């Protein structure tokens, strides 16, 4: 006896055959075109800090295209670790992307809790401090002072370096430093 369940499986199989043939032909057409690859990472520490600050002030515009691509991440890991299987490195890469998104979420939450609004913030780009850490993964620790209503904060992050390109990591924070001295009103 022929069951309806078997009929459904036959229909699904026929549809999948049609769909697979169609996608193979589209892949041939797509391979004939030239792919324009987007640059990833940042060219300098200043550009990276400026972009990260802009993303922290505008939560809806966070871009993950500037994160390190997986192939570059694996190349960077292979410099120091030649034994780990690719599946382990893939897991580390997924963790890297996850840490970045969670770091941005916690930064947005911290800015909301401290009631820091981007409209009244003085972002002192000229006072950027950064230093290079050498070790397992070369990185740069960078911080910029941020002034908001006579309160000073430090916007801090770690940028990974590979091939003279700077990539953001998940370590992003805004830390309260202290009150600024109040300006005295003098007589003229």
């Amino acid at each position: 006896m022929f069951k309806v369940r078997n009929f459904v499986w036959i229909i699904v199989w026929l549809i999948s055959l049609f769909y697979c043939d169609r996608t193979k032909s589209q892949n041939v057409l797509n391979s004939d075109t030239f792919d324009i690859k987007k640059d990833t990472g940042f060219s300098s520490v200043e550009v990276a800090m400026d972009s990260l600050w802009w993303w922290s002030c505008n939560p809806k515009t966070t871009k993950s295209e500037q994160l390190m691509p997986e192939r570059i991440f694996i190349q960077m890991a292979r410099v120091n670790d030649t034994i780990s299987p690719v599946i382990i490195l893939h897991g580390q890469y997924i963790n890297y992307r996850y840490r970045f998104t969670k770091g941005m979420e916690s930064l947005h939450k911290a800015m909301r809790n401290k009631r820091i609004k981007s409209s009244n913030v003085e972002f002192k780009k000229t006072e950027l401090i950064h230093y290079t850490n050498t070790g397992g993964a070369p990185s740069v620790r960078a911080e910029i002072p941020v002034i908001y209503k006579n309160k000073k904060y430090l916007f801090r992050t770690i940028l990974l370096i590979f091939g003279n390109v700077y990539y953001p990591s998940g370590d992003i924070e805004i830390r309260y430093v202290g009150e600024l001295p109040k300006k005295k009103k003098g007589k003229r």
Side-chain angles (χ1 to χ4, degrees), residues 68 70-84 89 92 134-139 161-164:
M68 186 180 295
E70 187 171 6
R71 63 179 174 76
I72 294 177
F73 186 85
I74 290 174
Q75 287 176 0
M76 185 179 78
R78 288 290 181 212
V79 169
N80 295 324
D81 183 15
T82 58
I83 298 174
S84 295
L89 297 177
Q92 290 174 352
T134 55
S139 60
I161 307 170
F162 190 74
N164 293 328

Side-chain angles (χ1 to χ4, degrees), residues 53-129:
W53 176 252
W54 190 72
W55 293 345
S56 64
C57 292
N58 303 309
K60 295 180 182 176
T61 60
T62 302
K63 303 288 182 191
S64 62
E65 290 98 23
Q66 300 303 329
L67 290 177
M68 186 180 295
E70 187 171 6
R71 63 179 174 76
I72 294 177
F73 186 85
I74 290 174
Q75 287 176 0
M76 185 179 78
R78 288 290 181 212
V79 169
N80 295 324
D81 183 15
T82 58
I83 298 174
S84 295
V86 176
I87 193 74
I88 299 294
L89 297 177
H90 177 70
Q92 290 174 352
Y93 178 72
I94 297 298
N95 186 27
Y96 161 71
R97 292 185 70 87
Y98 177 79
R99 281 183 46 215
F100 176 75
T101 55
K102 287 301 175 184
M104 288 303 281
E105 287 175 8
S106 65
L107 179 67
H108 295 147
K109 184 177 179 181
M111 288 180 70
R112 274 193 312 269
N113 290 343
K114 294 175 183 178
R115 295 183 179 94
I116 299 174
K117 296 183 181 176
S118 60
S119 58
N120 298 332
V121 171
E122 187 178 343
F123 187 66
K124 304 232 178 196
K125 292 185 212 179
T126 56
E127 297 180 22
L128 171 69
I129 300 171

Side-chain angles (χ1 to χ4, degrees), residues 173-188:
E173 67 177 343
I174 189 158
R175 180 176 287 178
Y176 176 72
V177 176
E179 295 278 333
L180 292 176
K182 295 186 179 183
K183 296 178 183 176
K184 294 181 181 179
K185 295 180 181 179
K187 295 180 181 178
R188 294 187 177 201

Side-chain angles (χ1 to χ4, degrees), residues 145-160:
V146 175
I147 310 285
Y148 181 71
K149 291 186 177 179
N150 284 337
K151 294 181 182 176
K152 185 175 182 180
Y153 297 92
L154 283 178
F155 178 67
R156 302 172 69 176
T157 189
I158 295 177
L159 302 169
L160 301 173

